[in-house]
């Protein structure tokens, strides 16, 4: 038997046409930062969707509640994030249809996401995202991360993308188990401010979300105050005429 | 009669591409060049109230191996100017040594204290002429007659003048500390604490940086080189035992037995007498 046209092959394992799989991301979101605090999980992400080096969309909600117990934040390709939300919608719907009083908690959703991401990567058609999954169920706080190749782990504080390099050092130093909500927000703002200064794809419009036993709250977007008034910025070459 | 003699002039400068073809041929045949000893580093500098504080970690790496656990990355340029170096260790050493000598000759010539911009210009002209092949990323700081100065110099020769600066693989971790905690008009102790915190952030969060913290404080007319100011990694792997072994074998008895008889020489002997 001669297979002359690849398109006729039933697609068992990998997509034959390049146009049918993700090769590179197009519209991307930058870092997400999250950590556990006294009452649950706090998560923050800015609202920018960059199209390459253009800042195309400035009101992209990159944190969404999942079911009753979880929050999902994503960085990377926005369209893949929307696809993941559809998969999770279906998952939660089926779970609700059982109507058995049980609901999927963060650990279960995290496991589901890990399987999805890993299987897609095995087929060379990844969902180009780094996902942060946080939630509280029966008093147990849970915070985990899944990357686009299926690496998953659970920790007290996580960050995606640039947040790993810029926010994680601050969190490792200053996070503790019993942060109050106000302290937690201050710590998040500290991290997001550094990201705003030093990540080129960050925008000054961020959303903070929290999830506790009572449920998820996504706060309205706002901007951070920045400081540019260093003396050295005003006249940097004052002692060195001609340099820059 | 011609006064022109054919002088074999040395090349005017810039990179000599003579060996590139040969290297290319070798790498195609599978012979890879030896890997560089990189400093894979965290280096920082800040301007505080009275001057400049520079900081650096002390780990030098050769690929995945730590080849020097306690190397010195803060190099002397002039009595009032110091320079931290990241990138290829040989390049940072050579370039700072060279410019340090040039500065000293210049000082003899002009009879004055060196200025930071002089060092800056010498370094950037050299690095630019080598088009980035001299892989030295430097944080240059010092105090001269015009005041305290802090500059960063990139391998291709561009420079920045900044109130706080970080370079090296751990620069993002250190920069996150600076961006959240730096303010103008820090005192000396606050400055040293901030610099140490930034280097520690690099040491603990970056794999290319590690071991100890070196700090150098430069003020008008005075400098303090605090080698190994902090040793945050010293006792980490010390084995905790509840018993101790005695330091050496116990001495029970001392007895000296000479192996050869001592011969008594009697003066005025008869044999061998002349």
């Amino acid at each position: 038997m001669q297979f002359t046209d690849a398109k006729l092959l039933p697609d068992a394992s990998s997509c034959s046409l390049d146009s049918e799989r993700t090769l590179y991301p197009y519209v991307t979101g930058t870092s997400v930062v999250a950590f556990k605090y006294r009452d649950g999980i706090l998560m923050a992400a800015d609202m920018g969707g960059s199209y390459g080096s253009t800042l195309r969309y400035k009101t992209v909600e990159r944190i969404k509640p999942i079911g009753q117990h979880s929050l999902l934040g994503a960085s990377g390709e926005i369209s893949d994030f929307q696809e993941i939300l559809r998969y999770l919608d279906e998952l939660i719907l089926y779970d609700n249809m059982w109507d058995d009083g049980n609901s999927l908690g963060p650990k279960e959703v995290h496991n589901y996401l890990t399987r999805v991401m890993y299987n897609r990567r095995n087929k060379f058609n990844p969902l180009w995202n780094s996902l942060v999954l946080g939630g509280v169920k029966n008093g147990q706080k849970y915070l985990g991360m899944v990357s686009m190749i299926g690496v998953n782990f659970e920790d007290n504080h996580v960050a995606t993308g640039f947040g790993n390099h810029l926010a994680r050092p601050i969190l490792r130093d200053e996070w503790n188990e019993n942060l109050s909500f106000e302290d937690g927000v201050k710590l998040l703002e500290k991290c997001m401010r550094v990201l705003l200064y030093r990540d080129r794809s960050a925008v000054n419009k961020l959303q903070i979300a929290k999830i506790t036993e009572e449920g998820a709250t996504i706060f309205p977007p706002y901007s951070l105050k920045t400081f540019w008034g260093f003396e050295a910025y005003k006249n940097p070459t004052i002692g060195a005429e001609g340099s820059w | 009669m011609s006064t022109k003699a054919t002088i074999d002039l040395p090349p005017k400068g810039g990179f000599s591409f003579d060996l590139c073809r040969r290297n290319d041929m070798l790498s195609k045949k599978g012979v890879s060049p030896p890997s560089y000893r990189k400093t894979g580093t965290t280096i920082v500098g800040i301007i505080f109230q009275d001057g400049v504080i520079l900081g650096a970690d002390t780990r030098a790496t050769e690929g995945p191996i730590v080849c020097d656990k306690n190397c010195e990355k803060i190099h002397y340029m002039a009595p009032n100017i110091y320079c931290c170096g990241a990138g290829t260790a040989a390049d940072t050493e050579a370039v700072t040594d060279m410019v340090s000598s040039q500065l000293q000759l210049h000082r003899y010539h002009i009879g004055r204290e060196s200025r930071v911009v002089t060092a800056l210009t010498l370094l950037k002209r050299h690095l630019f002429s080598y088009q980035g092949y001299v892989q030295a990323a430097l944080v240059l700081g010092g105090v001269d007659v015009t005041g305290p100065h802090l500059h960063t110099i990139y391998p291709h020769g561009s420079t920045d003048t900044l109130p706080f600066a970080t370079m090296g693989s751990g620069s993002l971790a250190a920069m996150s500390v600076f961006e959240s905690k730096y303010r103008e008009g820090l005192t000396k102790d606050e400055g040293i604490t901030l610099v140490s915190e930034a280097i520690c952030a690099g040491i603990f969060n970056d794999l290319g940086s590690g071991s100890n913290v070196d700090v150098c404080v430069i003020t008008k007319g005075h400098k303090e080189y605090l080698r190994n100011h902090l040793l945050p990694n010293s006792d980490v792997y010390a084995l905790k035992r509840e018993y101790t072994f005695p330091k050496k074998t116990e001495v029970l008895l001392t007895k000296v037995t000479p192996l050869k008889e001592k011969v008594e020489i009697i003066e005025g002997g008869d044999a061998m007498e002349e």
Side-chain angles (χ1 to χ4, degrees), chain A residues 63-114:
Chain A
I63 305 181
K64 295 280 184 191
I66 310 290
Q68 293 171 297
H69 302 284
S70 326
L71 267 182
L72 175 66
S75 72
E77 174 62 59
I78 301 290
S79 63
D80 283 344
F81 177 49
Q82 290 170 343
E83 188 73 1
I84 290 171
L85 289 175
R86 277 189 50 231
Y87 289 157
L88 287 174
D89 229 4
E90 203 181 315
L91 181 78
I92 301 287
L93 185 71
Y94 272 103
D95 185 52
N96 287 340
M97 288 203 302
W98 285 105
D99 202 17
D100 54 5
N102 192 19
S103 47
L104 287 173
K107 211 175 272 196
E108 289 83 52
V109 179
H110 186 219
N111 192 312
Y112 174 77
L113 286 171
T114 311

Side-chain angles (χ1 to χ4, degrees), chain B:
Chain B
M1 192 193 75
S2 164
T3 48
K4 266 187 281 186
T6 45
I7 310 161
D8 202 8
L9 286 168
K12 281 221 174 84
F15 192 69
S16 161
F17 290 91
D18 295 340
L19 286 172
C20 286
R21 213 200 234 167
R22 165 239 184 208
N23 290 341
D24 206 33
M25 185 266 303
L26 280 175
S27 68
K28 281 203 182 77
K29 292 206 172 155
V31 178
S32 59
S35 74
Y36 310 115
R37 174 166 159 249
K38 306 200 88 194
T39 46
T41 295
T42 311
I43 48 173
V44 305
I46 59 162
I47 295 197
F48 73 110
Q49 198 171 295
D50 310 316
V52 172
I53 305 182
L54 299 173
D57 75 304
T58 60
R59 174 184 283 186
T61 50
E62 232 165 41
I65 304 170
V66 176
C67 59
D68 190 346
K69 292 186 281 190
N70 208 356
C71 70
E72 279 189 24
K73 299 186 190 179
I74 306 186
H75 308 287
Y76 168 88
M77 298 285 265
N80 58 327
I81 307 174
Y82 273 77
C83 185
C84 308
T88 308
D91 287 337
T92 58
E93 286 277 347
V95 108
T96 48
D97 261 356
M98 182 192 83
V99 172
S100 172
S101 313
Q102 288 179 349
L103 281 177
Q104 182 151 56
L105 287 170
H106 190 239
R107 268 205 296 288
Y108 289 142
H109 204 74
I110 59 173
R112 290 175 177 76
E113 199 184 54
S114 294
R115 297 198 188 187
V116 182
V117 278
T118 318
L120 178 72
T121 311
L122 287 167
L123 284 164
K124 80 152 84 152
R125 294 257 170 94
H126 180 84
L127 291 175
F128 180 73
S129 71
Y130 282 85
Q131 289 292 297
Y133 281 97
V134 176
Q135 281 171 14
L138 310 164
V139 170
L140 176 72
V143 181
D144 55 30
V145 281
T146 52
H149 296 281
L150 180 66
H151 302 279
T152 52
I153 308 164
Y154 288 83
H156 284 266
S158 66
T159 57
D160 290 304
T161 312
L162 298 164
F164 55 91
T166 65
M167 297 280 262
S169 55
S171 62
L172 283 93
M175 187 51 90
S176 71
V177 172
F178 278 165
E179 286 285 15
S180 41
K181 295 190 183 162
Y182 179 80
R183 34 165 244 280
E184 295 197 294
L186 290 164
T187 64
K188 179 173 144 189
D189 289 320
E190 288 173 335
I192 294 181
T193 313
L194 183 63
V195 162
S196 305
E197 261 188 64
I199 300 288
C200 282
I203 288 175
F204 293 118
N205 293 300
D206 174 48
L207 296 175
S209 317
S211 305
N212 318 123
V213 180
D214 282 351
V215 176
C216 183
V217 185
I218 310 171
T219 52
K220 195 164 178 59
H222 179 67
K223 65 158 190 281
E224 249 183 275
Y225 183 54
L226 305 165
R227 167 77 172 147
N228 285 0
H229 171 67
L230 276 184
L231 293 105
N233 287 308
S234 58
D235 261 345
V236 175
Y237 303 110
L239 188 58
K240 290 179 184 53
R241 270 193 283 252
E242 272 129 35
Y243 49 88
T244 50
F245 294 111
K247 287 293 170 189
K248 52 186 176 183
T249 320
E250 241 183 278
V251 177
L252 295 171
L253 169 69
T254 312
K255 181 178 166 201
V256 178
T257 315
L259 292 168
K260 260 196 322 197
E261 286 280 339
K262 242 193 185 160
V263 179
E264 284 260 338
I265 301 173
I266 308 159
E267 278 296 310
D270 36 350
M272 306 286 238
E273 206 173 290
E274 279 166 80

